[in-house]
mmCIF file of all heavy atoms in Angstrom:
data_model
loop_
_atom_site.group_PDB
_atom_site.id
_atom_site.type_symbol
_atom_site.label_atom_id
_atom_site.label_comp_id
_atom_site.label_asym_id
_atom_site.label_seq_id
_atom_site.Cartn_x
_atom_site.Cartn_y
_atom_site.Cartn_z
ATOM 1 N N ALA A 108 4.112 -10.897 17.044
ATOM 2 C CA ALA A 108 3.523 -11.862 17.868
ATOM 3 C C ALA A 108 4.143 -11.725 19.313
ATOM 4 O O ALA A 108 3.548 -11.763 20.289
ATOM 5 C CB ALA A 108 3.745 -13.236 17.313
ATOM 6 N N GLY A 109 5.499 -11.586 19.220
ATOM 7 C CA GLY A 109 6.296 -11.411 20.559
ATOM 8 C C GLY A 109 5.839 -10.081 21.311
ATOM 9 O O GLY A 109 5.733 -10.144 22.487
ATOM 10 N N LEU A 110 5.789 -9.001 20.502
ATOM 11 C CA LEU A 110 5.348 -7.759 21.166
ATOM 12 C C LEU A 110 3.841 -7.879 21.718
ATOM 13 O O LEU A 110 3.531 -7.179 22.632
ATOM 14 C CB LEU A 110 5.379 -6.636 20.199
ATOM 15 C CG LEU A 110 6.877 -6.118 19.955
ATOM 16 C CD1 LEU A 110 7.067 -5.182 18.820
ATOM 17 C CD2 LEU A 110 7.368 -5.450 21.290
ATOM 18 N N VAL A 111 3.030 -8.527 21.016
ATOM 19 C CA VAL A 111 1.609 -8.695 21.417
ATOM 20 C C VAL A 111 1.653 -9.326 22.846
ATOM 21 O O VAL A 111 0.978 -8.845 23.831
ATOM 22 C CB VAL A 111 0.721 -9.537 20.556
ATOM 23 C CG1 VAL A 111 -0.540 -10.009 21.155
ATOM 24 C CG2 VAL A 111 0.419 -8.813 19.224
ATOM 25 N N ALA A 112 2.424 -10.487 22.996
ATOM 26 C CA ALA A 112 2.552 -11.032 24.269
ATOM 27 C C ALA A 112 3.219 -10.157 25.360
ATOM 28 O O ALA A 112 2.706 -10.055 26.473
ATOM 29 C CB ALA A 112 3.332 -12.417 24.070
ATOM 30 N N GLU A 113 4.312 -9.621 24.932
ATOM 31 C CA GLU A 113 5.087 -8.734 25.891
ATOM 32 C C GLU A 113 4.226 -7.477 26.473
ATOM 33 O O GLU A 113 4.249 -7.301 27.652
ATOM 34 C CB GLU A 113 6.263 -8.256 25.106
ATOM 35 C CG GLU A 113 7.416 -7.596 26.044
ATOM 36 C CD GLU A 113 8.620 -7.233 25.259
ATOM 37 O OE1 GLU A 113 9.018 -7.890 24.188
ATOM 38 O OE2 GLU A 113 9.148 -6.101 25.475
ATOM 39 N N LEU A 114 3.547 -6.930 25.544
ATOM 40 C CA LEU A 114 2.730 -5.687 25.864
ATOM 41 C C LEU A 114 1.325 -6.014 26.206
ATOM 42 O O LEU A 114 0.599 -5.084 26.670
ATOM 43 C CB LEU A 114 2.775 -4.651 24.798
ATOM 44 C CG LEU A 114 4.192 -4.203 24.270
ATOM 45 C CD1 LEU A 114 4.104 -3.257 23.146
ATOM 46 C CD2 LEU A 114 4.960 -3.653 25.372
ATOM 47 N N GLY A 115 0.884 -7.248 26.141
ATOM 48 C CA GLY A 115 -0.518 -7.532 26.240
ATOM 49 C C GLY A 115 -1.464 -6.775 25.418
ATOM 50 O O GLY A 115 -2.534 -6.388 25.783
ATOM 51 N N ALA A 116 -1.056 -6.714 24.149
ATOM 52 C CA ALA A 116 -1.860 -5.902 23.267
ATOM 53 C C ALA A 116 -3.294 -6.629 22.909
ATOM 54 O O ALA A 116 -3.383 -7.797 22.919
ATOM 55 C CB ALA A 116 -1.041 -5.689 21.859
ATOM 56 N N VAL A 117 -4.211 -5.705 22.636
ATOM 57 C CA VAL A 117 -5.621 -6.229 22.379
ATOM 58 C C VAL A 117 -5.868 -6.069 20.813
ATOM 59 O O VAL A 117 -6.939 -6.515 20.393
ATOM 60 C CB VAL A 117 -6.708 -5.487 23.159
ATOM 61 C CG1 VAL A 117 -6.495 -5.808 24.632
ATOM 62 C CG2 VAL A 117 -6.706 -4.045 22.958
ATOM 63 N N GLY A 118 -4.944 -5.467 20.056
ATOM 64 C CA GLY A 118 -5.143 -5.343 18.684
ATOM 65 C C GLY A 118 -3.925 -5.111 18.035
ATOM 66 O O GLY A 118 -2.942 -4.524 18.565
ATOM 67 N N VAL A 119 -3.844 -5.463 16.672
ATOM 68 C CA VAL A 119 -2.684 -5.108 15.829
ATOM 69 C C VAL A 119 -3.265 -4.531 14.488
ATOM 70 O O VAL A 119 -4.133 -5.189 13.869
ATOM 71 C CB VAL A 119 -1.757 -6.266 15.508
ATOM 72 C CG1 VAL A 119 -0.556 -5.777 14.699
ATOM 73 C CG2 VAL A 119 -1.275 -7.017 16.760
ATOM 74 N N VAL A 120 -2.809 -3.403 14.157
ATOM 75 C CA VAL A 120 -3.379 -2.770 12.959
ATOM 76 C C VAL A 120 -2.319 -2.496 11.956
ATOM 77 O O VAL A 120 -1.201 -1.938 12.378
ATOM 78 C CB VAL A 120 -4.031 -1.407 13.297
ATOM 79 C CG1 VAL A 120 -4.739 -0.866 12.203
ATOM 80 C CG2 VAL A 120 -5.071 -1.536 14.461
ATOM 81 N N ALA A 121 -2.510 -2.773 10.662
ATOM 82 C CA ALA A 121 -1.572 -2.387 9.607
ATOM 83 C C ALA A 121 -2.423 -1.776 8.480
ATOM 84 O O ALA A 121 -3.608 -1.965 8.396
ATOM 85 C CB ALA A 121 -0.925 -3.714 9.191
ATOM 86 N N ALA A 122 -1.594 -1.281 7.591
ATOM 87 C CA ALA A 122 -2.232 -0.800 6.318
ATOM 88 C C ALA A 122 -2.579 -1.918 5.423
ATOM 89 O O ALA A 122 -1.883 -2.918 5.443
ATOM 90 C CB ALA A 122 -1.250 0.176 5.547
ATOM 91 N N SER A 123 -3.657 -1.728 4.535
ATOM 92 C CA SER A 123 -4.000 -2.839 3.724
ATOM 93 C C SER A 123 -3.222 -2.808 2.396
ATOM 94 O O SER A 123 -3.806 -2.707 1.374
ATOM 95 C CB SER A 123 -5.517 -2.688 3.481
ATOM 96 O OG SER A 123 -5.993 -3.828 2.712
ATOM 97 N N THR A 124 -1.906 -2.896 2.563
ATOM 98 C CA THR A 124 -1.056 -3.000 1.451
ATOM 99 C C THR A 124 -0.753 -4.530 1.229
ATOM 100 O O THR A 124 -1.084 -5.305 2.033
ATOM 101 C CB THR A 124 0.305 -2.303 1.689
ATOM 102 O OG1 THR A 124 0.775 -2.795 3.002
ATOM 103 C CG2 THR A 124 0.046 -0.757 1.827
ATOM 104 N N ASP A 125 -0.073 -4.869 0.104
ATOM 105 C CA ASP A 125 0.404 -6.255 -0.075
ATOM 106 C C ASP A 125 1.164 -6.681 1.192
ATOM 107 O O ASP A 125 0.898 -7.843 1.635
ATOM 108 C CB ASP A 125 1.385 -6.314 -1.261
ATOM 109 C CG ASP A 125 0.626 -6.422 -2.505
ATOM 110 O OD1 ASP A 125 -0.689 -6.347 -2.451
ATOM 111 O OD2 ASP A 125 1.257 -6.357 -3.651
ATOM 112 N N ARG A 126 2.068 -5.868 1.625
ATOM 113 C CA ARG A 126 2.890 -6.321 2.835
ATOM 114 C C ARG A 126 2.078 -6.294 4.102
ATOM 115 O O ARG A 126 2.164 -7.255 4.853
ATOM 116 C CB ARG A 126 4.080 -5.298 3.007
ATOM 117 C CG ARG A 126 5.093 -5.352 1.922
ATOM 118 C CD ARG A 126 6.263 -4.473 2.225
ATOM 119 N NE ARG A 126 7.280 -4.746 1.196
ATOM 120 C CZ ARG A 126 8.476 -4.263 1.225
ATOM 121 N NH1 ARG A 126 8.811 -3.519 2.164
ATOM 122 N NH2 ARG A 126 9.330 -4.658 0.259
ATOM 123 N N GLY A 127 1.254 -5.314 4.332
ATOM 124 C CA GLY A 127 0.421 -5.342 5.482
ATOM 125 C C GLY A 127 -0.516 -6.548 5.637
ATOM 126 O O GLY A 127 -0.505 -7.335 6.718
ATOM 127 N N ASN A 128 -1.168 -6.847 4.494
ATOM 128 C CA ASN A 128 -1.994 -8.003 4.472
ATOM 129 C C ASN A 128 -1.241 -9.400 4.613
ATOM 130 O O ASN A 128 -1.736 -10.298 5.291
ATOM 131 C CB ASN A 128 -2.860 -8.057 3.264
ATOM 132 C CG ASN A 128 -3.978 -6.944 3.228
ATOM 133 O OD1 ASN A 128 -4.582 -6.754 4.226
ATOM 134 N ND2 ASN A 128 -4.259 -6.418 2.073
ATOM 135 N N GLU A 129 -0.068 -9.420 3.951
ATOM 136 C CA GLU A 129 0.692 -10.661 4.078
ATOM 137 C C GLU A 129 1.241 -10.835 5.479
ATOM 138 O O GLU A 129 1.084 -11.929 6.081
ATOM 139 C CB GLU A 129 1.855 -10.584 3.107
ATOM 140 C CG GLU A 129 2.666 -11.900 2.970
ATOM 141 C CD GLU A 129 3.774 -11.913 2.082
ATOM 142 O OE1 GLU A 129 4.389 -10.868 1.738
ATOM 143 O OE2 GLU A 129 4.191 -12.998 1.597
#
Side-chain angles (χ1 to χ4, degrees):
L110 282 167
V111 165
E113 194 178 318
L114 304 177
V117 295
V119 185
V120 188
S123 186
T124 55
D125 279 357
R126 288 183 176 190
N128 284 325
E129 184 176 28

